[in-house]
Amino acid sequence: MYTTLLSTIEQVLNANPSVTDGLNEVCQKIQQTLPAYHWVGFYFHHNTKKELHLKAYAGKPTTHTVIPFGKGICGQVALSNQNFIVDDVREQDNYIACSLDVKSEIVVPLFMDGLNIGQIDIDSNTAHAFSKADEVFLVRVNTLVAAFLKRNNSTF
Ligand code: SME
């Protein structure tokens, strides 16, 4: 499943000239293919402010389109540069609820030339939805996206 999906993502990014359209399509493909992935989005670091900005997503719209560094799971990953799996969001004090349906979350930073420039964020309505395999998959997605952004001279 992950291998086929990675090929599809590569095809989407190779075919798509617009950065925003490409990323939105990647979010849609992932969300439609993996049943536990209810919300899929890409946040990117603002050029000057210590904030994450939502640039593409699939799933329910969220009001959390701007997240300060340090706030929530996403904001913590902006500072730690580490993958973050949350098995049960109720156990997290520093958590921003996008929807009361969400039970677990995974955030994986996106690096370009060694710099953390953004992240992919997945929410699931099932607790304990994410494992090491998801982490490995999402690291590979981010590697493809970083190459795509580089080809398009974009860091968002
Ligand atoms: N739950 C995230 C906020 C983003 S939403 O999941 C879309 C967090 O705690 O940072």
Side-chain angles (χ1 to χ4, degrees):
M1 180 108 79
Y2 291 127
T3 311
T4 313
L5 185 51
L6 284 165
S7 302
T8 306
I9 289 168
E10 205 163 10
Q11 282 162 26
V12 164
L13 295 177
N14 284 337
N16 219 311
S18 144
V19 165
T20 305
D21 289 353
L23 290 187
N24 275 311
E25 206 176 323
V26 167
C27 292
Q28 284 158 21
K29 293 280 182 210
I30 295 173
Q31 192 234 20
Q32 286 161 7
T33 309
L34 300 172
Y37 284 45
H38 293 105
W39 190 92
V40 178
F42 285 99
Y43 286 92
F44 285 89
H45 296 196
H46 189 270
N47 281 344
T48 51
K49 299 179 200 164
K50 298 211 171 301
E51 289 174 350
L52 292 158
H53 288 244
L54 183 64
K55 296 294 179 180
Y57 72 94
K60 283 190 200 162
T62 175
T63 52
H64 300 288
T65 54
V66 178
I67 299 176
F69 283 15
K71 301 282 182 199
I73 308 305
C74 297
Q76 291 178 72
V77 169
L79 296 174
S80 73
N81 306 325
Q82 304 287 323
N83 303 337
F84 197 159
I85 292 181
V86 178
D87 289 330
D88 183 346
V89 298
R90 290 172 305 182
E91 289 172 2
Q92 289 293 323
D93 293 335
N94 190 357
Y95 169 73
I96 301 165
C98 278
S99 153
L100 295 177
D101 296 331
V102 174
K103 302 285 190 299
S104 60
E105 177 160 1
I106 181 169
V107 178
V108 172
L110 191 153
F111 297 98
M112 189 188 282
D113 298 328
L115 279 182
N116 179 356
I117 63 160
Q119 53 192 238
I120 189 165
D121 174 23
I122 321 291
D123 288 339
S124 180
N125 299 346
T126 310
H128 296 266
F130 305 110
S131 67
K132 187 72 196 170
D134 297 282
E135 228 177 295
V136 170
F137 164 66
L138 293 169
V139 166
R140 292 178 69 185
V141 170
N142 281 354
T143 303
L144 293 174
V145 169
F148 167 70
L149 293 175
K150 210 163 181 181
R151 285 201 298 280
N152 286 276
N153 295 314
S154 173
T155 53
F156 264 119

